[in-house]
Amino acid sequence: MFKRVKKNWNMLWPLLALTVVAVIIFLERMGVAENFLKGDQEIAQNERTRPTIEIPDTVLFVSRRESNSADFASEMEQILSDMRQSYEIVYVEDVEKEDFREQIAQYHKAVICFTDLDMMGEQISVLSDWVKQGGCMMNMATFDVCSNLQVIAGKMGILEGADSYGSVGGFYVDEEFMIGAKNRQFAYDDVYQSSLNVLLDQDCQTYVYAMDSDLPLLWEYDYGKGRFVIMNQTMTGKSARGILSAAYSLLDDISVYPVINASAFYLDDFPAPVPSGNGKYIKQEYGMDISNFYTNVWWEDILDWEDKYGIVHTGMIIEDYSDIVEEPFTRTESTERFRFFGNMLLNHGGELGFHGYNHMPLCLENFDYKGLYDGYTLWKSTEDMEKAITELGEFSSEIFPEQKFTVYVPPSNILSQEGRKALKESMPGIRAIASTYLPGDCVYEQEYGIGEDGLIETPRITSGAIMDDYTYLIAFSELNYHYVQSHFMHPDDVLDEDRGAALGWKKMHENLDQYLSYIYTAAPDIQNVTGSGMADAVENYAGLSIHRTEVENGIRFDLGGFYEKAYLMVRIAQPQEGRMLTVVGGTCEPLTGSLYLLTATQSHVEITYE
């Protein structure tokens, strides 16, 4: 028998549901059940449909001996968890010949999380027979040239080239396969030999190509009753999730998984005191001082983008730019700028949240900035943090008494665990933290979801106005993975050479406008939301589970954790002309090719394709 690590997150939901019911009964007895509500929507937790259990139908084959295998598996685990796919992990070293055929038969899909197929030994033939009988297999990264690859290459649709590598400097994607792919290439910083230099069978369906050689990087090939989906490129990290999730979706005839469906824009340090910095580029370009530039140029451009693209902005308040980290925390007396910009933002449908009393991240003296933030002062105690946060709340509420402050953005995206606890303790109205999706030194890196303390994780994905190739790659990936876009910028980007000031605001404006055009061409109907709207969308997404049942020419599924409406991505594998998509329990809108956005209006949905 081989050893398995079972990963079925849906099985946690019954325990969670029982816990919630017990809490509600307790609250009812205490006479306070009516306050057990979901934020501003005031939805009782027990009004949601209960999540359901799904038996794992995917196996991840992992190797203890191959150094990258654990990283590949970890990335795939996150992808499958986000797609609400139950799975199990099998270590290839534990596979025993007499058990393998019987054990793999219980799964419908397999993902190979290593590159050297020789580690499977003679079981490679069992694996290919399983595919031939109806199994579906994909891999995470380019295969090594090895004996077992030669054995199975033809069954994967490879005619030639399984013995050498070709150079790749970037890629492009079939525009019918993923949104945001039209007229877009994604370049790498370096050209390197990373893909098998293959010639494919004409029956292969290729979706991703090397941009400089048209080398196939992702294709699918039917073998018997089953299917191979082959990644001929080692793509890792969060920017690869869009393509990896799209590849996995090809393993089913109809694939369904939840998405967020939200686009948000944050203005950090806004409103705030007039930022200090080098205004020489503003003076050269516009002949203005910093204050007049923000009022007469920058802010007008922000409003123009709102009119042009329908976006709304969430401003993150900084009360003071001091480095004070011990009480007393002096109240800022000059509020004219706060009132002018803050009320303008609110009057245009925007929202205000908290960035900090000052721009000192909430980190105690035991926090290591690794020499990267020498200008920041560490806090002496959690009590000082809490008092500074309280001062910010009182200051903001005095100026904007009608505004509910529910979103917090950490300065420089840095937040310690002590700081998070201080934030929650001193500002109970905060529902969401919007830090960063991408890793970096010292930053608080997030996944979309809900933390153990109940705070909603709503990471921002892109930032600034330079908009390089990687910015477009990660934006493209997340549109296709979570169907989400989240961008932030600072008013003082135009003062900081590291953030593009030397380009001048006209060029920075052009860069941002091109990015916005890209987003809303790729996803014209994505929901524009504020920071709290993003929190609502992530909360609804995070609470969903899916129980899938195949039906003739389609799929039936039940949504656990459903309330009023949910959004899901649907991919129809190998669609044919003249076939009609029918949906009961929701509506489907085409995104591109075989990809649809499903709006579920009931917890029970059925999709047929005839």
Side-chain angles (χ1 to χ4, degrees):
M1 299 291 288
F2 51 60
K3 297 178 182 178
R4 292 183 266 165
V5 180
K6 192 169 186 179
K7 296 285 185 176
N8 189 345
W9 302 112
N10 292 332
M11 288 186 174
L12 296 175
W13 286 111
L15 179 59
L16 176 60
L18 290 173
T19 303
V20 169
V21 170
V23 170
I24 292 172
I25 292 171
F26 173 78
L27 291 173
E28 287 176 339
R29 290 177 177 175
M30 296 298 292
V32 294
E34 64 271 18
N35 294 321
F36 191 58
L37 304 172
K38 179 197 172 196
D40 294 335
Q41 292 179 315
E42 297 189 348
I43 302 168
Q45 293 289 331
N46 60 340
E47 289 180 13
R48 287 183 176 272
T49 60
R50 291 189 179 185
T52 52
I53 299 172
E54 188 167 48
I55 297 173
D57 74 340
T58 299
V59 56
L60 305 186
F61 285 113
V62 186
S63 170
R64 294 190 183 93
R65 294 196 301 267
E66 192 169 289
S67 59
N68 292 327
S69 184
D71 291 336
F72 293 153
S74 177
E75 194 62 48
M76 201 67 203
E77 284 190 85
Q78 183 67 53
I79 290 171
L80 296 185
S81 295
D82 283 353
M83 295 177 76
R84 306 301 190 272
Q85 296 280 346
S86 296
Y87 62 93
E88 292 182 340
I89 291 176
V90 169
Y91 290 97
V92 67
E93 291 85 357
D94 297 335
V95 169
E96 296 180 8
K97 182 177 180 180
E98 60 271 18
D99 297 319
F100 187 51
R101 190 177 301 275
E102 177 184 346
Q103 293 292 337
I104 196 173
Q106 67 185 293
Y107 304 103
H108 171 58
K109 293 169 284 190
V111 181
I112 306 297
C113 298
F114 52 88
T115 59
D116 183 5
L117 288 175
D118 279 354
M119 286 190 295
M120 296 204 72
E122 296 178 0
Q123 308 311 316
I124 195 70
S125 297
V126 177
L127 179 65
S128 63
D129 287 345
W130 170 78
V131 174
K132 189 174 184 179
Q133 295 302 314
C136 295
M137 191 210 88
M138 71 169 281
N139 61 313
M140 286 281 293
T142 306
F143 286 126
D144 295 343
V145 173
C146 62
S147 299
N148 268 349
L149 178 61
Q150 309 309 316
V151 170
I152 203 172
K155 301 171 184 180
M156 296 175 174
I158 299 174
L159 297 179
E160 299 176 11
D163 56 358
S164 64
Y165 295 98
S167 297
V168 176
F171 68 92
Y172 69 95
V173 179
D174 184 335
E175 65 184 59
E176 294 294 302
F177 182 53
M178 300 173 72
I179 59 174
K182 187 175 183 180
N183 301 321
R184 175 66 55 180
Q185 294 186 337
F186 301 97
Y188 300 143
D189 292 336
D190 300 305
V191 177
Y192 57 100
Q193 290 191 328
S194 59
S195 304
L196 292 167
N197 197 21
V198 295
L199 175 66
L200 298 182
D201 188 293
Q202 63 180 2
D203 290 333
C204 289
Q205 177 67 53
T206 304
Y207 298 102
V208 182
Y209 304 82
M211 71 178 190
D212 45 3
S213 63
D214 289 338
L215 189 67
L217 301 182
L218 171 64
W219 70 87
E220 70 170 296
Y221 184 68
D222 288 343
Y223 177 59
K225 298 178 182 179
R227 182 179 306 145
F228 284 102
V229 175
I230 303 301
M231 285 288 299
N232 189 29
Q233 173 87 83
T234 302
M235 303 176 70
T236 59
K238 290 184 173 181
S239 63
R241 290 180 180 178
I243 286 181
L244 289 171
S245 60
Y248 180 83
S249 72
L250 293 171
L251 298 177
D252 288 308
D253 290 337
I254 298 182
S255 176
V256 180
Y257 55 94
V259 292
I260 296 169
N261 186 15
S263 175
F265 290 85
Y266 299 79
L267 299 174
D268 288 5
D269 301 4
F270 184 85
V274 176
S276 60
N278 191 342
K280 69 176 182 178
Y281 299 109
I282 293 173
K283 192 72 172 178
Q284 290 172 3
E285 196 169 17
Y286 294 97
M288 300 179 183
D289 62 22
I290 294 173
S291 180
N292 282 322
F293 166 76
Y294 282 126
T295 302
N296 298 313
V297 179
W298 182 86
W299 179 242
E300 291 300 316
D301 288 339
I302 295 293
L303 296 181
D304 286 344
W305 280 325
E306 292 188 351
D307 292 339
K308 185 175 180 179
Y309 298 104
I311 65 180
V312 287
H313 284 91
T314 301
M316 311 312 300
I317 299 173
I318 286 281
E319 182 177 346
D320 193 282
Y321 278 116
S322 74
D323 60 358
I324 297 172
V325 293
E326 293 181 275
E327 62 174 330
F329 299 102
T330 306
R331 176 69 51 89
T332 296
E333 295 182 359
S334 178
T335 61
E336 180 180 355
R337 178 181 173 85
F338 288 90
R339 294 179 190 275
F340 174 78
F341 285 114
N343 285 317
M344 285 276 284
L345 186 148
L346 294 173
N347 290 338
H348 282 79
E351 179 180 72
L352 295 173
F354 290 150
H355 200 27
Y357 168 73
N358 52 27
H359 209 272
M360 299 298 118
L362 298 178
C363 301
L364 297 174
E365 292 180 330
N366 61 355
F367 190 86
D368 184 8
Y369 279 128
K370 302 178 181 179
L372 299 174
Y373 296 91
D374 292 337
Y376 284 164
T377 304
L378 293 165
W379 295 78
K380 302 294 184 182
S381 68
T382 55
E383 290 77 14
D384 286 320
M385 290 184 196
E386 292 174 0
K387 289 176 181 178
I389 295 165
T390 299
E391 162 54 30
L392 172 64
E394 293 174 352
F395 168 79
S396 302
S397 295
E398 181 179 288
I399 302 174
F400 308 107
E402 302 299 319
Q403 176 70 28
K404 293 182 178 180
F405 302 96
T406 64
V407 180
Y408 173 75
V409 167
S412 297
N413 294 315
I414 300 172
L415 178 65
S416 68
Q417 289 301 315
E418 297 92 342
R420 182 184 178 114
K421 184 177 180 181
L423 177 72
K424 187 171 174 62
E425 291 291 329
S426 58
M427 196 60 62
I430 293 294
R431 294 179 56 227
I433 296 176
S435 185
T436 179
Y437 187 60
L438 298 176
D441 291 320
C442 301
V443 303
Y444 176 57
E445 179 188 351
Q446 295 176 291
E447 299 285 352
Y448 288 100
I450 302 176
E452 293 181 358
D453 58 4
L455 293 177
I456 304 167
E457 311 280 8
T458 59
R460 286 95 60 82
I461 303 163
T462 58
S463 65
I466 295 177
M467 318 313 288
D468 57 13
D469 288 338
Y470 186 78
T471 297
Y472 279 94
L473 174 58
I474 189 66
F476 164 77
S477 180
E478 280 302 302
L479 283 176
N480 285 277
Y481 180 44
H482 285 121
Y483 200 60
V484 69
Q485 188 284 146
S486 187
H487 183 85
F488 73 93
M489 60 183 293
H490 301 78
D492 66 352
D493 285 348
V494 72
L495 305 177
D496 189 328
E497 290 187 0
D498 291 338
R499 287 180 268 156
L503 297 173
W505 175 245
K506 289 179 182 177
K507 178 58 178 176
M508 296 170 75
H509 177 277
E510 179 185 340
N511 290 346
L512 278 165
D513 194 68
Q514 288 176 352
Y515 174 75
L516 292 170
S517 177
Y518 170 75
I519 293 296
Y520 290 102
T521 299
D525 296 323
I526 195 170
Q527 295 186 122
N528 287 307
V529 297
T530 61
S532 63
M534 178 65 78
D536 290 338
V538 172
E539 185 175 33
N540 288 334
Y541 158 81
L544 285 176
S545 64
I546 305 178
H547 180 73
R548 304 164 178 85
T549 304
E550 291 186 7
V551 297
E552 186 176 0
N553 296 321
I555 189 172
R556 177 191 304 129
F557 58 92
D558 295 296
L559 296 172
F562 176 84
Y563 181 82
E564 291 189 340
K565 187 182 292 184
Y567 298 98
L568 303 102
M569 203 77 88
V570 178
R571 184 179 298 281
I572 312 295
Q574 301 175 331
Q576 298 176 9
E577 292 286 339
R579 297 179 69 186
M580 181 175 293
L581 188 70
T582 302
V583 181
V584 177
T587 58
C588 252
E589 297 296 329
L591 295 175
T592 186
S594 61
L595 199 61
Y596 299 82
L597 180 66
L598 169 66
T599 302
T601 54
Q602 299 177 19
S603 62
H604 177 81
V605 183
E606 186 167 318
I607 303 173
T608 53
Y609 199 60
E610 300 178 350

